[in-house]
Amino acid sequence: MTVARTVELEGHIIDSGTMGMCFGVVMDMGGEFEVEDFEVGRHKHAETYCRMRVMAESEDDLRAILHELNQQGATVADPRDATLENAPEDGVVPVDFYSTTNHPTYVRVDGEWVEIEDPEMDCALVVERADPEDPQGVGNADERRNGDGNTRVLTKVLNAVEEGDLVVTGETGIRVEPPERPRNGGGSFGFMQGGVSSERPSASLIEEIADEMREVRENDGNVLVVCGPAIVHSGGRDALADLVRAGFIDNLSAGNGFAVHDLERDLYGTSLGVDTESLEHPRKGHKHHIYTISEIARLGSIEAAVDEGIVDEGVMYECIDNDVPFVLAGSIRDDGPLPDTITDAIEAQDAIREQAHDADIVLMLSTLLHSVAVGNCLPSTTKTVCVDINPATVTQLLDRGSAQAIGMVTDIGTFIPMLRDELLEE
């Protein structure tokens, strides 16, 4: 027996390719569709509307198709409230829980569309009702809508879900709004405008990135930089330190390795045992990184090393000296690690997540794994810059789902000084 539901699409669905993708989803998954209404926007600011009936052989097949259409921004016509089920125990979600995208999303609760907080991919949605004495929302709807406490919908990673949490299940009552591409483009940070190219004129892109960073700074926004050790190895360290000192960096996220080699450069003049100026290999240079960790551990922290005058330059020094928060997330590969490095993976994720949610623009500089970790926590609307010498790295980072991302395939040791010069020019 054939089952069917009607869905609606609205916006710049032709320009962005959304309509074609939705047609393809239905056909690829064995369903059929019938367009019931189609109104094309007739000028560049006008939106297009499409209503179509989706048919499948079974309820399970239809549910799977509707899930994929939902991810593309399609909304079931005549929506009902979202289905909520209690989490059976800590860290366990109901079987049919809704797994999030990183796009702006709304959940229909008690007849009202509620925007989720901190969009992030691969999370559960948890509803916190306005009235804790009425957890199932039976009464007091008027009070909720009149401001006596507002119902909230939160993203939660699975390990943070607590027994009894009201978890959104199924596809009913959920509206996803992927960023669109209007006809007027939108510059390099516009949807799908940036792309990846090693032949793109670097100077013009760096100028635009600098303009974005200036605007964020002027509006009291937040710039997050994600750093890899190659910054130190390739000679970009001093330029990045200058940007921290000048107030253009508000948060720093890195692994143990970046901090170690930045500090090693200060203490021994080397990075990975190599003099970054002369490219010579000093005697015992291969041990400098572990000596560095030992010195910092002896003092207790990077901040203590700065206070003692042992560390007096570099990126980590400038972070301490200018009160720029940093998160150093450890991994199984780390030597030491430094006492400031967070070795608990869940604790490190939470710290990175807090940084990511506050960021208005993120610079991902020559570190694939750490950038992917940060990227997984970002909403699709956060402007993102990915820079790496390896084109595959930049492509993978941009494919994490940000709709406002540009990639540059270039030497990080060239990019950061150019960005520094652009931002600090008189």
Side-chain angles (χ1 to χ4, degrees):
M1 181 179 70
T2 301
V3 292
R5 291 292 297 274
T6 299
V7 300
E8 297 174 314
L9 289 161
E10 190 168 7
H12 297 285
I13 58 176
I14 298 176
D15 301 340
S16 62
T18 300
M19 189 172 69
M21 286 188 286
C22 288
F23 289 168
V25 162
V26 177
M27 292 184 289
D28 291 345
M29 298 183 70
E32 298 180 5
F33 66 87
E34 177 183 338
V35 176
E36 298 179 335
D37 191 9
F38 185 50
E39 300 174 8
V40 180
R42 299 187 182 278
H43 57 82
K44 69 178 182 179
H45 297 298
E47 297 183 340
T48 296
Y49 172 81
C50 176
R51 184 176 71 244
M52 65 178 180
R53 187 171 178 80
V54 180
M55 294 151 282
E57 292 297 323
S58 68
E59 286 288 351
D60 287 344
D61 291 340
L62 182 61
R63 187 181 301 112
I65 293 171
L66 292 177
H67 172 79
E68 294 302 319
L69 292 176
N70 174 274
Q71 310 298 290
Q72 301 297 333
T75 303
V76 175
D78 302 320
R80 295 165 288 177
D81 282 353
T83 304
L84 308 178
E85 294 184 31
N86 292 108
E89 56 184 284
D90 290 352
V92 179
V93 292
V95 172
D96 194 26
F97 81 100
Y98 178 82
S99 178
T100 60
T101 69
N102 62 349
H103 299 312
T105 302
Y106 297 78
V107 177
R108 197 171 189 268
V109 183
D110 304 328
E112 300 289 324
W113 287 105
V114 181
E115 185 174 7
I116 70 170
E117 300 179 19
D118 299 324
E120 181 180 338
M121 65 175 66
D122 301 330
C123 291
L125 290 175
V126 173
V127 174
E128 290 188 356
R129 294 192 179 275
D131 186 356
E133 300 300 322
D134 182 25
Q136 295 301 325
V138 176
N140 294 326
D142 289 337
E143 289 185 4
R144 283 194 299 277
R145 296 167 191 168
N146 290 332
D148 293 338
N150 294 315
T151 295
R152 304 169 63 199
V153 183
L154 314 175
T155 53
K156 279 193 176 185
V157 292
L158 299 193
N159 64 64
V161 171
E162 300 177 4
E163 181 180 357
D165 277 349
L166 280 175
V167 179
V168 177
T169 60
E171 309 299 324
T172 302
I174 300 168
R175 188 174 79 229
V176 177
E177 296 186 354
E180 298 175 333
R181 179 179 58 191
R183 288 184 178 88
N184 61 353
S188 295
F189 277 98
F191 179 69
M192 293 298 291
Q193 295 293 309
V196 180
S197 175
S198 56
E199 299 178 359
R200 192 176 295 274
S202 298
S204 62
L205 271 184
I206 290 172
E207 182 179 351
E208 182 172 351
I209 294 166
D211 287 342
E212 293 287 341
M213 292 175 67
R214 289 192 191 97
E215 184 176 348
V216 168
R217 187 187 193 190
E218 291 167 1
N219 292 310
D220 296 323
N222 188 289
V223 177
L224 169 62
V225 61
V226 185
C227 302
I231 293 172
V232 184
H233 307 333
S234 64
R237 163 185 180 262
D238 291 344
L240 183 58
D242 290 342
L243 292 177
V244 175
R245 186 187 313 113
F248 284 101
I249 306 298
D250 299 290
N251 277 275
L252 183 143
S253 184
N256 183 72
F258 169 78
V260 169
H261 295 302
D262 174 66
L263 296 165
E264 175 194 343
R265 183 71 181 85
D266 185 19
L267 297 181
Y268 296 97
T270 60
S271 177
L272 268 182
V274 178
D275 189 310
T276 56
E277 299 295 334
S278 67
L279 301 183
E280 295 180 351
H281 294 69
R283 184 172 178 271
K284 293 188 177 181
H286 63 286
K287 297 184 178 182
H288 286 174
H289 76 285
I290 202 70
Y291 290 166
T292 297
I293 295 170
S294 175
E295 287 299 311
I296 303 300
R298 184 175 295 109
L299 294 166
S301 68
I302 299 172
E303 182 175 4
V306 171
D307 291 343
E308 291 289 328
I310 304 300
V311 171
D312 58 10
E313 66 175 23
V315 179
M316 301 311 300
Y317 168 81
E318 295 297 345
C319 286
I320 296 294
D321 195 50
N322 294 280
D323 296 320
V324 172
F326 59 85
V327 171
L328 303 179
S331 77
I332 196 68
R333 303 167 299 165
D334 290 335
D335 293 325
L338 291 167
D340 301 80
T341 299
I342 303 172
T343 56
D344 183 289
I346 302 302
E347 183 183 348
Q349 284 181 17
D350 290 341
I352 289 172
R353 184 168 288 110
E354 185 175 347
Q355 286 186 315
H357 290 169
D358 288 339
D360 295 294
I361 183 170
V362 181
L363 308 182
M364 298 178 171
L365 307 179
S366 204
T367 169
L368 173 60
L369 296 180
H370 206 82
S371 293
V372 168
V374 175
N376 284 347
C377 301
L378 292 174
S380 63
T381 51
T382 301
K383 292 180 177 179
T384 306
V385 180
C386 307
V387 184
D388 200 281
I389 198 66
N390 185 346
T393 296
V394 177
T395 301
Q396 184 170 345
L397 292 174
L398 286 156
D399 283 346
R400 302 309 295 175
S402 175
Q404 298 192 83
I406 59 176
M408 295 184 65
V409 180
T410 189
D411 174 36
I412 196 67
T414 300
F415 170 81
I416 300 178
M418 289 179 68
L419 179 63
R420 184 265 317 273
D421 293 345
E422 182 68 35
L423 283 168
L424 302 186
E425 67 179 0
E426 296 297 333

